[in-house]
Amino acid sequence: MPCALFYFSKSCKVVLYQYNCILYRNKKVPVPFLEIWVGQFCNLKCKNCCHLIPYLEQKVYDMELLIEDCRKVFQWCEIEFFSIVGGEPFSHPHLDKLINFVAECPDIKKGKIVTNGTIFPNEDILNALKRLEGKLEIRIDGYPGIGIGVAEKFAEIMHANSIPYHFSRFNPNKPSSWKQLTPDHAAPLEKNHSKELFAKCNIRDCNTLADGELTLCPRGIGSECIFHIRKNRYEHVNVRGLNEAISAKAKIATGLDKTMYKNYCIYCLSLSEENDRYVKPGEQINSCSGLTG
């Protein structure tokens, strides 16, 4: 049986992996939510970016490899909701290829594309969005003082082309979902405190696929280069290295198990009611700002 919450020794993860080999021998792994990054590039540098994108190497991913990653994951997992993000997804010149894959994939029933609305889609991407026929909704995040007028024009383009969208306007004077997630001076938390926060964190269901790496939380993607947390194979699944079905499903189920505390969580204040550090949404990094400013 799966190990108790927070018990995260290597031996426990081995037991969980072995259990999952049996559990998913003849069925797919249920994944309520899958978020796929198309890259680590964003034209904005939001200080409290949940994904830590401004602090990572700025790049877009190979789209052909990304699509193949998606094919593998859908082969072994039952995905309920599919989300495309970046960085900024519309910064990827070949985003249309991924959108066309979504349009043709019978396993994808609903989802969204999350954008800051400051980069307009080119003709190929716009045509691909039309072919979706509402399969994915465009979520436009309009941040105060950061090209809000451009984001409104982006929304007008969506409306003019009958593409479903939702415009989220963030009020800088009211608490929102934007919170400071990284501890002061990027210092590690006390482990027991970190475990308590993990138990109540709202982004434990934000399973993330980025450049062949699958993990429970988007903040785990940059954990090695930012916080120098050595990645282990039980928390970070190398999708491109998976081939045999039973083993692949067991590794995915173990890596995405949300009852298993993740080592990189020691550098996160969590997105929960326990964290009362509300911050201004979309506040940009200045030349003197560090990770927590």
Side-chain angles (χ1 to χ4, degrees):
M1 293 296 292
C3 304
L5 184 63
F6 306 143
Y7 188 74
F8 58 101
S9 68
K10 180 178 180 181
S11 61
C12 183
K13 292 171 182 176
V14 171
V15 171
L16 179 58
Y17 167 77
Q18 293 171 339
Y19 169 78
N20 285 328
C21 282
I22 299 171
L23 182 62
Y24 296 108
R25 178 177 296 274
N26 297 311
K27 63 179 180 179
K28 291 186 175 183
V29 179
V31 178
F33 183 92
L34 179 66
E35 177 177 277
I36 180 170
W37 292 14
V38 299
Q40 299 170 189
F41 177 85
C42 186
N43 56 318
L44 300 184
K45 307 296 180 187
C46 297
K47 179 179 178 182
N48 291 285
C49 175
C50 174
H51 295 182
L52 301 169
I53 294 295
Y55 307 99
L56 297 173
E57 178 187 356
Q58 298 288 286
K59 61 182 179 180
V60 296
Y61 298 153
D62 183 297
M63 186 56 73
E64 300 299 333
L65 288 176
L66 279 179
I67 292 173
E68 187 56 33
D69 294 340
C70 289
R71 291 188 197 279
K72 279 192 170 185
V73 172
F74 277 99
Q75 178 184 351
W76 298 314
C77 302
E78 193 73 44
I79 311 296
E80 184 175 333
F81 196 93
F82 184 80
S83 179
I84 299 175
V85 296
E88 168 50 47
F90 287 94
S91 68
H92 200 299
H94 303 301
L95 181 63
D96 56 296
K97 294 183 179 180
L98 179 59
I99 296 173
N100 287 332
F101 165 79
V102 171
E104 297 168 3
C105 181
D107 294 319
I108 300 177
K109 302 295 190 294
K110 59 181 179 178
K112 62 184 176 182
I113 302 176
V114 182
T115 176
N116 60 41
T118 59
I119 299 178
F120 296 160
N122 60 36
E123 185 175 354
D124 289 339
I125 294 175
L126 189 60
N127 288 333
L129 289 173
K130 293 177 184 178
R131 286 193 289 273
L132 279 173
E133 298 182 343
K135 203 171 190 180
L136 298 182
E137 180 184 66
I138 312 301
R139 194 188 86 189
I140 307 167
D141 290 340
Y143 302 132
I146 310 174
I148 188 70
V150 179
E152 289 172 345
K153 290 181 179 178
F154 187 104
E156 291 174 3
I157 294 173
M158 298 298 102
H159 179 74
N161 289 276
S162 301
I163 298 169
Y165 72 93
H166 173 75
F167 201 130
S168 296
R169 297 176 183 271
F170 292 88
N171 188 328
N173 300 315
K174 292 182 179 180
S176 68
S177 59
W178 276 70
K179 295 186 179 185
Q180 179 182 325
L181 296 182
T182 305
D184 294 325
H185 309 297
L189 299 173
E190 192 277 324
K191 187 164 286 187
N192 286 333
H193 182 210
S194 176
K195 292 176 182 179
E196 292 172 0
L197 294 176
F198 171 79
K200 302 173 182 178
C201 185
N202 296 330
I203 51 177
R204 284 188 296 147
D205 281 325
C206 197
N207 308 296
T208 301
L209 177 62
D211 204 20
E213 177 184 345
L214 182 63
T215 192
L216 185 74
C217 171
R219 292 174 65 82
I221 300 299
S223 60
E224 187 168 68
C225 66
I226 295 176
F227 302 119
H228 309 295
I229 296 288
R230 184 177 180 181
K231 295 184 178 181
N232 68 68
R233 60 194 178 98
Y234 293 104
E235 295 179 11
H236 304 267
V237 181
N238 175 15
V239 172
R240 294 170 190 170
L242 302 180
N243 292 297
E244 197 276 320
I246 294 176
S247 175
K249 289 186 288 185
K251 287 179 179 179
I252 290 173
T254 303
L256 300 186
D257 191 300
K258 65 179 182 179
T259 68
M260 296 288 289
Y261 174 80
K262 309 301 180 185
N263 290 338
Y264 50 77
C265 293
I266 202 167
Y267 285 97
C268 185
L269 296 169
S270 89
L271 188 62
S272 69
E273 294 182 1
E274 297 293 314
N275 181 0
D276 60 359
R277 299 190 182 194
Y278 289 99
V279 295
K280 179 180 178 181
E283 182 177 5
Q284 297 295 286
I285 296 172
N286 60 45
S287 60
C288 298
S289 295
L291 188 57
T292 57

